[in-house]
Amino acid sequence: MNLESVLFSQGFGSRRQCRALIAEGRVSVGGATFDDPDADVATDALVFEIDGIAWPFRERAYILLNKPSGYECSRDPQHHLSVFSLLPAQFATRGVQCVGRLDQDTTGLLLLSDDGQFVHAYTSPKRKVPKVYLATTRHPLDDAQLAALREGVLLHGETRPIAAVAAHARSANELELTVLEGKYHQVKRMVAAAGNRVEALHRERVGGLALPPTLAPGQWQWLDEASLGLLRG
Ligand code: URA
């Protein structure tokens, strides 16, 4: 693939902007500066540098973000900052989108990708991917609430009760809840229907993929094949 197409495919601007970056001598591969946009480079395991910052070539981007509170899962946020402000600009340019949404005040594991099939598969209600949340509740949890969550609660606008796959108290006010669906405000609504209230919500896991403990809030990382395998379970 020629170098201009490499940069273009990775979201570094229009073809003209990519040609200009190369012509200005700002792009290097393997330590050597390339100023010819038509230079042919092998994309296998390619790492290129722009202004000294290394970027791996990724045909498709699969990204994990430790979402902090106060960010909306939208490129066009209404009341808060966008999660895209935490990511390099080229991700939005290459069409990366959130895989499902977390509320602005929810923290934790958020997946993003520019692979339309992947985004669709993991947001489709048909694919029942377990999602594990830790909810801090306003009132102490009790057995009746946990039983209601496990047996199913009827949410406004739904025709059938929704049951958690698992619900247990980690402490008096900490609920670990595993759900398969991804409905609007689902955890908050389920907890409210069970007679309590969510004060803080954190997503710890999607499928077999856990939020890495070393990834600080606001930080992101590429998902490699091993992590994608864990996600699929
Ligand atoms: N359930 C909620 O209520 N909010 C989220 O952000 C995710 C799940």
Side-chain angles (χ1 to χ4, degrees):
M1 192 184 280
N2 73 32
L3 195 53
E4 173 197 318
S5 299
V6 167
L7 264 54
F8 181 69
S9 71
Q10 303 299 288
F12 286 93
S14 65
R15 286 201 169 269
R16 237 180 92 192
Q17 288 166 326
C18 293
R19 288 186 87 81
L21 277 174
I22 300 162
E24 287 161 14
R26 294 166 61 187
V27 182
S28 60
V29 179
T33 299
F34 276 59
D35 59 8
D36 177 7
D38 297 320
D40 203 30
V41 285
T43 53
D44 263 8
L46 170 66
V47 178
F48 55 93
E49 289 191 5
I50 301 184
D51 296 333
I53 299 175
W55 297 102
F57 175 85
R58 296 281 153 107
E59 197 167 329
R60 289 277 169 259
Y62 303 97
I63 295 153
L64 184 159
L65 172 71
N66 184 354
K67 181 190 171 298
S69 179
Y71 288 81
E72 289 182 31
C73 289
S74 161
R75 257 184 239 172
D76 185 20
Q78 301 297 304
H79 303 291
H80 301 86
L81 295 167
S82 164
V83 290
F84 286 93
S85 66
L86 298 164
L87 301 171
Q90 71 268 21
F91 287 164
T93 310
R94 66 183 281 183
V96 166
Q97 41 181 314
C98 297
V99 181
R101 289 184 173 211
L102 292 177
D103 299 335
Q104 66 81 15
D105 55 353
T106 300
T107 59
L109 197 167
L110 178 67
L111 300 171
L112 300 104
S113 180
D114 61 356
D115 176 344
Q117 278 187 342
F118 175 85
V119 174
H120 181 259
Y122 281 90
T123 46
S124 161
K126 284 189 198 137
R127 184 166 191 147
K128 300 197 179 306
V129 184
K131 291 164 273 281
V132 181
Y133 292 90
L134 182 64
T136 308
T137 58
R138 174 174 296 183
H139 311 291
L141 292 152
D142 62 35
D143 289 344
Q145 292 167 17
L146 296 174
L149 290 165
R150 287 187 206 116
E151 280 156 25
V153 285
L154 189 60
L155 302 181
H156 184 73
E158 298 293 329
T159 49
R160 289 185 204 156
I162 298 182
V165 179
H168 73 262
R170 278 197 200 164
S171 71
N173 291 68
E174 280 184 315
L175 167 70
E176 182 186 313
L177 197 70
T178 307
V179 297
L180 296 178
E181 308 80 1
K183 293 185 187 289
Y184 182 65
H185 291 336
Q186 183 173 336
V187 173
K188 291 173 185 166
R189 290 159 68 211
M190 286 177 76
V191 171
N196 207 322
R197 192 186 155 100
V198 171
E199 295 286 349
L201 188 60
H202 180 72
R203 185 155 71 186
E204 295 188 333
R205 186 179 281 271
V206 175
L209 181 68
L211 183 67
T214 49
L215 196 68
Q219 286 189 340
W220 65 274
Q221 66 180 40
W222 297 100
L223 287 180
D224 55 17
E225 272 308 317
S227 303
L228 289 170
L230 285 173
L231 181 63
R232 288 183 204 111

